[in-house]
Amino acid sequence: LGLPFFRGDEMLGMVGVANRPGGYDDSLVTGLQPLLSTCAALTVAARSETGRRQAEEALRLSEARWQFALEGAGDGVWDWDIEHDRVYYSRVGHAVLGYAEGQVGTRIADWNTLIHPDDVAACVAATMRHLRGEDPMMVSRHRARAADGQYRWCLARAVPMRDEAGRIVRWFGTCTDIHERRAAEEALRQS
């Protein structure tokens, strides 16, 4: 006797019961319905768990690839959660300016205090150009105070993430140390 079990209209599997002389009557099949329902529930749970594990593994691999690609290129990554005013930095995000993990505060104001006072207006203008749709992403070249107290040129690039209502809820970005390149460009201009 082969009895299929379903979730809705989808057949998930079959339960096999050994043959017997004279076969089986409908009362036995009806009596096995709780077993069949249990088999369906266990099958759905097993598929969901397998799917969850596969999705988690795919996400872990994707994150590892992106982290390697960005950090291998020397770019620091940051993520600003606006609602909670919390900035998350990658390991390289701190190291770009010579800071150890935890030396830069977790609020956006903590980062903003590092920007050279003469460059704040340009950073705000870059953000506004992006928000008005004039630039595909926020791009700012500015000086930021490094751990040694000196200002270094950085290239910041960022894009916002919006909720269903269109409100900006996060900013994701990178920070690249362009100090040496900027110095070389200035030396070329001077010569």
Side-chain angles (χ1 to χ4, degrees), residues 101-165:
E101 219 170 306
Q103 279 187 297
V104 177
T106 60
R107 296 176 316 117
I108 197 65
D110 299 325
W111 172 260
N112 289 342
T113 62
L114 300 177
I115 298 173
H116 192 285
D118 293 344
D119 297 340
V120 171
C123 290
V124 171
T127 302
M128 296 311 295
R129 279 192 307 277
H130 170 69
L131 293 175
R132 287 191 304 265
E134 297 168 18
D135 292 332
M137 74 174 56
M138 188 286 293
V139 178
S140 174
R141 288 169 186 79
H142 59 269
R143 291 163 288 178
R145 189 174 57 251
D148 64 5
Q150 301 295 309
Y151 282 95
R152 297 188 62 80
W153 283 97
C154 297
L155 170 64
R157 291 176 272 205
V159 292
M161 183 176 101
R162 299 175 185 272
D163 65 11
E164 318 70 56

Side-chain angles (χ1 to χ4, degrees), residues 10-129:
E10 178 188 5
M11 185 176 103
L12 300 174
M14 287 191 87
V15 171
V17 180
N19 291 334
R20 74 175 193 188
Y24 297 96
D25 60 31
D26 289 338
S27 64
L28 179 63
V29 172
T30 302
L32 290 175
Q33 285 308 312
L35 171 65
L36 299 175
S37 294
T38 301
C39 289
L42 291 172
T43 301
V44 168
R47 286 182 181 174
S48 294
E49 179 65 18
T50 299
R52 183 188 62 75
R53 281 193 204 129
Q54 289 171 341
E56 286 176 353
E57 179 63 11
L59 178 60
R60 188 189 67 70
L61 287 172
S62 176
E63 287 175 349
R65 283 187 202 106
W66 280 109
Q67 183 176 9
F68 175 76
L70 290 169
E71 292 186 354
D75 291 339
V77 179
W78 54 270
D79 166 13
W80 176 31
D81 175 352
I82 293 173
E83 180 182 350
H84 300 103
D85 190 22
R86 178 153 174 92
V87 182
Y88 303 90
Y89 301 97
S90 68
R91 182 186 52 77
V92 174
H94 289 95
V96 165
L97 293 172
Y99 291 102
E101 219 170 306
Q103 279 187 297
V104 177
T106 60
R107 296 176 316 117
I108 197 65
D110 299 325
W111 172 260
N112 289 342
T113 62
L114 300 177
I115 298 173
H116 192 285
D118 293 344
D119 297 340
V120 171
C123 290
V124 171
T127 302
M128 296 311 295
R129 279 192 307 277

